[in-house]
Amino acid sequence: MLLGFFMKKSIIKTMEGKEKQNFLGYLKSNPPFGYFLLLVLLFFAAQMITELSIGKFELNDFRVYYSAADNFWKSEPVYGVPFGLETGYFKYSPVVLLLFSPFTLFPFELAGAIYYSLNLVLIAFLFYHYFKLIQENFSLARKHNLVFLLLLQYSFVGHFLRELHLGNTNLLLLFFVVILLRFTLKNKFVISGLLLAILMLFKPYLAVLILPLFLAKQFKVLRYGFIFTVGLVLFSLVFFGFSTGFYLHVDWVKSMKDHSDFLSSNNTIFHIFDRIFHTDSPNQIGLPMYAVFSVILFSVFRFTHFFKKFNLNQQLLLFSFLLLALLPNFLVTDTEHFLFSFGLISYLCLYLFEKRKIWPWFIYILLIIFYLGEANLFLPKNIAVEIKLFGTLGIANLLLVGWAVWAILSTQDKKSKLF
């Protein structure tokens, strides 16, 4: 409830009246988008109803957040306790623990239904704000037909289904990123700083967003982000009591350190390298290599002329989306984290729609099938399993992201051609 309250009050209601009218106006001027949202919401709502009816409404990840909050209020351990599946450890900051605490006022099934419903609302607003963000900063059409929109939804449907089924936070964080970027470009620095702080307290590696904000000279957002991060941590220390709060933060750091030790991923560039060259890279190599890659990419944006054709707003979006899209190719994490490629893959889909050529769609759809991990749709099951173990999801993500960057460069440089 508190999480829902924050999302509705601190984000939606901080929009100016004109902005809220824009959403209704956008639906009115784009009937296909309204029909699209209705179909998407009905589809995922039907999934929830089906899972409830057959007793499969498990929400294993949400169960972790719910149980950890419940344990805290019962003065029981929060960190290092398996609440669900074998990876079901609470690994977020104590501040996040507070955000999920109000859900414990309800039985788990009801709390899960509320959280699931909030995520459905987020899907609708995610598409709306993403389209507005792209339209306001790139030269793409404002209207799209229903068939195209459903194809765009198909591009992520498997990851959306898994995210909703597990009750994870990736959809929430992706929504926060899009809102952060859009509010930043609208000079709403305070709420942008708050969102940056919350993102970093959920998953500290999202502090990588500091680099594109710094590149775009959004120093006010960075300043407010620092203030809110420190303020929220201090608030949690006061709320929990300094001693309890201190040890909760120590346990949080330890839980993050231990998290990668019991996870595996077939989709990192290191796993793919290992399969080809028969080496054995440690899980811990991902984060430092991602940090190095991020700094190198920052240097490319900042000190070369390659991206000078983009203004600072466009550089902010491209750099942010690129960092997020490649994150699961570096870090050992769950497959639903590939939702972070939403920004670039959606742009590629928009670009192909405007090119009005048929044959690139066949390549796109083929890559999306692998990106969703559904090679078994056209390959024998034993072969599909084998190539999945090779890391085809990660490879498909790299290819789609690279293609999207090429598409963005093509839209900016009229002399270059993608097809």
Side-chain angles (χ1 to χ4, degrees), residues 101-395:
S101 290
F103 284 105
T104 61
L105 297 173
F106 306 97
F108 175 77
E109 289 75 14
L110 177 57
I114 294 172
Y115 186 69
Y116 190 105
S117 299
L118 287 172
N119 275 280
L120 290 185
V121 174
L122 290 185
I123 289 176
F125 278 97
L126 173 64
F127 278 108
Y128 165 69
H129 283 289
Y130 176 80
F131 282 146
K132 295 293 289 184
L133 190 65
I134 295 301
Q135 291 164 4
E136 290 163 357
N137 295 280
F138 294 95
S139 301
L140 293 174
R142 292 183 174 274
K143 297 182 180 180
H144 314 286
N145 62 44
L146 184 58
V147 174
F148 163 77
L149 292 169
L150 291 176
L151 178 62
L152 179 58
Q153 162 64 12
Y154 153 77
S155 301
F156 306 99
V157 65
H159 295 308
F160 278 147
L161 284 170
R162 179 169 170 80
E163 177 75 11
L164 290 167
H165 174 71
L166 292 173
N168 210 321
T169 60
N170 296 300
L171 185 56
L172 172 67
L173 298 179
L174 179 59
F175 173 74
F176 281 171
V177 169
V178 171
I179 292 294
L180 163 64
L181 294 173
R182 190 157 187 238
F183 278 16
T184 295
L185 298 183
K186 287 183 171 294
N187 298 323
K188 298 180 180 180
F189 305 119
V190 177
I191 188 65
S192 297
L194 176 60
L195 288 170
L196 178 62
I198 291 174
L199 285 167
M200 292 190 296
L201 289 172
F202 261 95
K203 297 193 175 181
Y205 55 67
L206 290 179
V208 72
L209 292 172
I210 290 174
L211 290 176
L213 288 167
F214 185 83
L215 176 72
K217 301 180 180 180
Q218 295 290 346
F219 303 121
K220 289 185 178 179
V221 176
L222 294 174
R223 182 165 66 247
Y224 282 116
F226 174 78
I227 293 171
F228 278 118
T229 301
V230 174
L232 287 171
V233 171
L234 291 177
F235 172 79
S236 68
L237 290 174
V238 172
F239 183 88
F240 292 124
F242 183 80
S243 179
T244 300
F246 174 79
Y247 284 109
L248 281 173
H249 281 82
V250 170
D251 289 341
W252 169 43
V253 173
K254 184 177 184 300
S255 72
M256 290 190 294
K257 178 180 178 296
D258 295 339
H259 182 59
S260 61
D261 293 337
F262 51 80
L263 277 180
S264 62
S265 173
N266 302 322
N267 302 302
T268 66
I269 55 176
F270 309 107
H271 172 84
I272 297 167
F273 182 89
D274 291 341
R275 289 295 297 263
I276 295 174
F277 297 101
H278 305 287
T279 54
D280 186 18
S281 302
N283 284 355
Q284 291 78 7
I285 195 175
L287 186 58
M289 291 303 295
Y290 180 65
V292 171
F293 166 79
S294 301
V295 173
I296 292 174
L297 194 58
F298 173 84
S299 300
V300 171
F301 272 89
R302 178 66 178 84
F303 300 110
T304 69
H305 294 283
F306 192 69
F307 291 101
K308 295 303 181 183
K309 65 186 72 174
F310 300 98
N311 61 42
L312 286 180
N313 289 356
Q314 292 170 332
Q315 289 186 44
L316 171 62
L317 296 179
L318 176 55
F319 192 9
S320 299
F321 287 148
L322 186 54
L323 287 175
L324 289 174
L326 295 177
L327 190 151
N329 281 116
F330 280 89
L331 304 186
V332 176
T333 187
D334 302 318
T335 57
E336 58 268 25
H337 284 74
F338 281 92
L339 271 176
F340 286 141
S341 298
F342 178 88
L344 286 181
I345 293 179
S346 295
Y347 188 95
L348 176 59
C349 197
L350 290 165
Y351 177 82
L352 294 177
F353 176 74
E354 293 212 347
K355 292 296 289 186
R356 303 290 183 181
K357 291 187 177 182
I358 300 298
W359 68 266
W361 283 108
F362 292 103
I363 301 175
Y364 176 82
I365 292 173
L366 180 63
L367 288 175
I368 286 296
I369 290 173
F370 285 104
Y371 167 75
L372 295 175
E374 298 294 343
N376 57 300
L377 290 177
F378 63 95
L379 292 175
K381 184 176 180 180
N382 60 328
I383 297 177
V385 170
E386 185 61 29
I387 64 173
K388 186 176 181 180
L389 292 175
F390 190 81
T392 48
L393 192 165
I395 294 172

Side-chain angles (χ1 to χ4, degrees), residues 1-4 7 61-70 73 90 92-106 111 115 118-119 167-169 172-173 202:
M1 291 293 289
L2 181 58
L3 190 59
M7 289 187 292
D61 286 341
F62 176 73
R63 187 182 298 275
V64 173
Y65 319 140
Y66 179 93
S67 301
D70 190 51
W73 294 107
F90 185 75
Y92 296 145
S93 76
V95 173
V96 177
L97 188 68
L98 287 177
L99 292 176
F100 280 97
S101 290
F103 284 105
T104 61
L105 297 173
F106 306 97
Y115 186 69
L118 287 172
N119 275 280
N168 210 321
T169 60
L172 172 67
L173 298 179
F202 261 95

